[in-house]
Amino acid sequence: MESRLRRLEAVQSMLLEIGQLSSTCTDIRQFLQSVHAALGRIMYAANFYVALSVDGTPNSVRFVYFVDEVDEPPDPREVVALASADQSPTAWVILNRQTLVMTAAEHIARNSSGDAFGIGTVAEHWMGCPLLDQDHQPLGAIVIQSYDKQHTFNEEDQALFALIANHVSSALQGLQSMDRLERAVRERTLRLEHEVAERRRAEKLQTALYEIASLSASAADTNALPERLHQIISKMIVAPNFLIALYHPDTQEISIPYFVDEKDGEAPVKRFQYGIGMSSYVLKRKQPQLLDAWSYRQLVEAGEISEPLGNESIASWMGAPMLLGDQAYGVIIVQSYDDSVWYTQSELDILAFMASHVAVALARLYADRAIRKAKASLEEQNAALNTALTQLQDAQSELVRQEKLASLGRLVAGVAHEINTPLGICVTATSHLVQELKLTKEDLADGRLDEEGLNSFFDVIDQSLRILTTNTQRAAALVRSFKQVAVDQSSDNIRSFNLAKYIDEVLLSLQPKLKGKPVKVEVDCPIDINLESFPGAVSQIITNMVMNSLVHGFEEGKPGRISIQGRLDGDHVVFDYSDDGVGMDKETLGQLFDPFFTTKRGSGGSGLGAHILFNLVTGALGGTVKVESSPGNGLHYHLRFPRDQRK
């Protein structure tokens, strides 16, 4: 009786200890170790283990605590798929949520009846109790076993073990909740640390890109870039061995403007043909490459890398092309001879990202250089053109005094002489462009035209078009200056005149041009329209309209009709002019008012008539002009301008 009381006191003490441990322990394994030690004080417990369900489901378990005299303990972190109740005593206890007690004979009998019942060594006595939550759902199983026939578990032991399992279940619920909370905190902390690391990395990358952009904006040429670029990239990647290779498509060569290496004092070659070495390999594929010593040797042996240059005892190597679209500017290479420094895909991505931005910086530098060169050339041309312009202005002053609008042909001849220089440059540029086109066609026919050759041809086209644009614009500006002389000559002082009578007077002055032509002119204008305006401008407008119809609208010998209508619309005059000539298509009509545009070059058309007409209507008369035409339907002008210019 006394021994029984001592055992009950020990049990009570153990249960109190379990309660205290559940509130003080934060680690489940430490808690179960203490439970095991306390259990050993009241019964034989040399072999003891606990299996807990993972994520609250009985489909998988972890053996979080396992002490055994015979079998090796499983990894407490390993998740094990739970067997069926017929295959494992532990699974039987968890799935049936009942206590199971087996002797060795009973265990062997189960094995002989079918599949093996469990995978461990058969114990002399095995006892397992389910661990259940408050909803009677399985948390796992607690097991005690003996391989010694002298140590078995009687009914009292079984009852005590079931009681202890119940208290352990209650304690584990609290511990698992705390464990899940701690795991969630740890996972959240890890995620936050990862986010912070990524943000810091992004900030470094953003700073590096800003510095690269600043370099391209401040450096006069590429000589200022490499060393600083090495410093910027070294902040992101371990780069004691660094190389920049520039590609020259015009000569199909690669140059090495910057080279830093732990083993070689200087680059083995400073300039070599495209197709040789690792730089050519990266440029050919236009993709960043990550290699180690083995993969490097494989490429060399396979002939993928022709004539390797530099030290080949690399541990890790990566190279990224400097690409802008399809244009390759070169390669950035970083390598390591140290087996402890291995580059990863993440670092290759950073290098590739940086290389693409370096390509943008190089493109900007090259463009600035080309602009400066073009600017110097343009300044020389402008100096020559300014001299010519001064001479033209002197000639213009003389022509203003000697010529009226009727002498426009002679004026144009003078203009043509003075704009000979820019037009000559245009002819030269066109000839050069034709020659380059011929050579490119030959290369294409012979199969020699590659991407670099095509890009080079595009560059020639771009340069030639810039030259043509610059000089044709200059020629147009000179012509417009002379055109304005003609406009000014046609703008006399304001005076009063009757529109109908003035139209008749102008048509009378044009009779020599109309005589002998099968063209009939019809006028519909009220006799009471009196204008306070510029009669010279009106005269020039009508003259240009009629002459344009005679020269461009009517074919030789073919009959035609010209209609002129005038009417008042409030304080404005509406003036309509139309012919039934050949008309013009949409494209030609769009160029009608362009200076020197004509459909009869060399046949009496100067190309200034419609342009001067437009300037007179919108300038001197302060009105608007619209024009309509289509092939075979003649041409129709619609003019609207103020009746009284004094107002």
Side-chain angles (χ1 to χ4, degrees):
M1 178 64 71
E2 185 178 352
S3 62
R4 184 178 179 83
L5 287 174
R6 284 199 301 270
R7 189 179 191 192
L8 289 175
E9 289 176 355
V11 170
Q12 186 177 9
S13 176
M14 179 184 177
L15 296 179
L16 290 173
E17 186 176 349
I18 291 174
Q20 291 175 349
L21 287 171
S22 66
S23 61
T24 57
C25 280
T26 58
D27 181 77
I28 291 178
R29 182 174 174 80
Q30 181 183 356
F31 168 75
L32 293 175
Q33 186 177 13
S34 300
V35 170
H36 183 201
L39 184 64
R41 294 197 296 268
I42 63 174
M43 68 177 67
Y44 177 77
N47 305 283
F48 174 83
Y49 69 84
V50 175
L52 294 181
S53 299
V54 177
D55 296 329
T57 63
N59 298 325
S60 55
V61 296
R62 287 188 300 123
F63 290 87
V64 294
Y65 185 81
F66 195 101
V67 175
D68 199 275
E69 297 173 312
V70 179
D71 294 332
E72 289 292 327
D75 186 346
R77 295 168 298 182
E78 182 182 2
V79 177
V80 180
L82 188 65
S84 68
D86 297 331
Q87 296 174 323
S88 164
T90 304
W92 192 98
V93 170
I94 294 175
L95 295 175
N96 290 311
R97 291 175 278 189
Q98 295 180 18
T99 300
L100 177 63
V101 180
M102 291 189 304
T103 63
E106 291 171 339
H107 196 161
I108 293 171
R110 281 179 176 266
N111 288 339
S112 62
S113 63
D115 295 335
F117 193 55
I119 59 174
T121 304
V122 175
E124 285 297 326
H125 210 183
W126 189 97
M127 179 169 56
C129 289
L131 299 173
L132 305 174
D133 63 13
Q134 68 272 16
D135 298 323
H136 205 64
Q137 296 301 314
L139 298 172
I142 182 170
V143 177
I144 188 170
Q145 57 187 343
S146 170
Y147 298 104
D148 188 353
K149 292 182 179 180
Q150 297 179 357
H151 296 93
T152 58
F153 309 109
N154 57 33
E155 292 183 358
E156 185 178 337
D157 293 334
Q158 296 173 23
L160 286 174
F161 191 65
L163 179 62
I164 292 168
N166 186 43
H167 281 73
V168 170
S169 297
S170 300
L172 281 176
Q173 290 182 70
L175 285 172
Q176 283 187 322
S177 298
M178 186 177 297
D179 182 59
R180 283 194 295 268
L181 179 60
E182 289 179 348
R183 283 204 309 270
V185 171
R186 285 196 298 271
E187 291 173 359
R188 177 58 178 163
T189 301
L190 289 174
R191 287 197 298 269
L192 289 174
E193 289 176 351
H194 178 72
E195 290 178 6
V196 169
E198 286 297 316
R199 288 184 180 180
R200 288 177 179 171
R201 177 181 171 188
E203 289 173 357
K204 287 183 179 180
L205 189 59
Q206 185 177 11
T207 301
L209 295 179
Y210 174 77
E211 291 177 347
I212 290 174
S214 298
L215 283 177
S216 66
S218 60
D221 55 33
T222 53
N223 295 330
L225 270 175
E227 184 175 359
R228 182 64 186 133
L229 188 59
H230 184 193
Q231 296 172 357
I232 293 171
I233 293 180
S234 294
K235 296 177 182 178
M236 307 292 298
I237 302 170
V238 178
N241 306 287
F242 187 85
L243 177 149
I244 294 179
L246 297 180
Y247 175 57
H248 307 278
D250 51 344
T251 61
Q252 288 289 289
E253 290 181 315
I254 295 174
S255 63
I256 310 295
Y258 186 78
F259 180 89
V260 174
D261 195 271
E262 294 173 311
K263 294 193 175 184
D264 296 326
E266 59 181 24
V269 289
K270 294 295 183 67
R271 199 176 186 95
F272 52 91
Q273 285 294 317
Y274 172 73
I276 297 175
M278 300 286 284
S279 301
S280 300
Y281 174 76
V282 176
L283 283 173
K284 183 178 179 181
R285 279 152 184 77
K286 293 187 176 180
Q287 292 290 335
Q289 303 292 326
L290 179 63
L291 304 174
D292 55 21
W294 180 84
S295 58
Y296 171 75
R297 285 193 299 271
Q298 291 292 108
L299 289 174
V300 173
E301 292 172 2
E304 294 286 339
I305 299 175
S306 175
E307 299 182 38
L309 304 173
N311 200 306
E312 297 184 46
S313 58
I314 60 173
S316 186
W317 184 99
M318 59 181 178
M322 295 182 285
L323 292 176
L324 184 59
D326 290 332
Q327 177 67 42
Y329 289 91
V331 182
I332 297 178
I333 292 175
V334 177
Q335 63 184 20
S336 166
Y337 298 113
D338 188 349
D339 289 334
S340 65
V341 179
W342 283 74
Y343 298 117
T344 64
Q345 182 63 42
S346 175
E347 290 170 316
L348 180 64
D349 293 340
I350 291 175
L351 185 65
F353 189 61
M354 302 285 280
S356 65
H357 283 75
V358 174
V360 174
L362 288 176
R364 188 177 301 164
L365 285 173
Y366 292 160
D368 290 344
R369 181 186 298 172
I371 290 173
R372 288 194 298 272
K373 186 176 180 180
K375 182 180 179 182
S377 176
L378 287 174
E379 287 175 350
E380 294 178 1
Q381 295 179 23
N382 285 338
L385 289 173
N386 284 332
T387 301
L389 181 60
T390 301
Q391 297 172 355
L392 286 173
Q393 289 171 341
D394 294 340
Q396 179 183 7
S397 299
E398 182 64 24
L399 287 171
V400 167
R401 290 190 297 269
Q402 296 180 0
E403 299 290 338
K404 294 294 182 182
L405 195 59
S407 63
L408 186 58
R410 295 193 301 274
L411 187 59
V412 172
V415 174
H417 176 73
E418 294 298 333
I419 64 172
N420 183 58
T421 300
L423 292 181
I425 294 173
C426 292
V427 171
T428 303
T430 304
S431 300
H432 176 64
L433 186 57
V434 170
Q435 182 64 23
E436 287 295 327
L437 177 61
K438 178 183 177 184
L439 294 175
T440 303
K441 285 182 176 179
E442 291 175 356
D443 289 345
L444 178 61
D446 295 340
R448 299 192 304 269
L449 184 61
D450 55 7
E451 184 179 350
E452 288 74 21
L454 185 60
N455 286 331
S456 178
F457 176 62
F458 286 159
D459 291 340
V460 171
I461 292 177
D462 185 62
Q463 293 172 1
S464 299
L465 289 177
R466 285 201 298 270
I467 292 173
L468 288 170
T469 301
T470 300
N471 286 279
T472 51
Q473 288 176 346
R474 175 57 62 183
L478 294 173
V479 170
R480 281 196 299 272
S481 70
F482 279 94
K483 174 269 302 176
Q484 189 60 48
V485 174
V487 173
D488 292 341
Q489 288 176 341
S490 66
S491 300
D492 299 326
N493 294 330
I494 296 176
R495 69 177 177 85
S496 300
F497 62 95
N498 182 273
L499 180 60
K501 292 181 180 180
Y502 198 71
I503 292 174
D504 291 338
E505 290 176 1
V506 174
L507 292 177
L508 184 62
S509 68
L510 291 174
Q511 279 304 310
K513 297 293 183 181
L514 292 168
K515 188 177 181 181
K517 302 278 187 183
V519 176
K520 184 178 180 181
V521 180
E522 299 176 352
V523 179
D524 179 12
C525 181
I527 196 64
D528 59 349
I529 300 178
N530 296 309
L531 277 63
E532 295 286 338
S533 189
F534 300 96
V538 175
S539 171
Q540 188 65 55
I541 290 169
I542 298 172
T543 300
N544 285 1
M545 287 178 173
V546 174
M547 292 306 299
N548 282 346
S549 294
L550 294 177
V551 175
H552 305 285
F554 302 116
E555 296 182 3
E556 188 66 30
K558 294 291 183 68
R561 183 178 68 87
I562 294 174
S563 173
I564 300 175
Q565 296 179 347
R567 57 187 174 86
L568 281 177
D569 181 14
D571 291 335
H572 285 75
V573 174
V574 177
F575 188 92
D576 286 287
Y577 175 95
S578 61
D579 64 42
D580 59 356
V582 296
M584 57 184 67
D585 57 29
K586 185 176 181 181
E587 182 180 357
T588 305
L589 186 65
Q591 305 175 71
L592 178 62
F593 295 130
D594 293 347
F596 296 108
F597 172 76
T598 178
T599 59
K600 292 290 184 70
R601 182 72 63 195
S603 301
S606 67
L608 283 174
H611 181 64
I612 293 176
L613 181 155
F614 180 84
N615 275 0
L616 287 174
V617 174
T618 58
L621 298 183
T624 59
V625 56
K626 296 180 181 178
V627 61
E628 298 175 358
S629 182
S630 61
N633 293 319
L635 186 70
H636 176 211
Y637 287 102
H638 180 79
L639 280 58
R640 190 173 188 274
F641 52 87
R643 186 193 66 80
D644 190 349
Q645 289 291 338
R646 300 184 190 278
K647 293 183 179 179

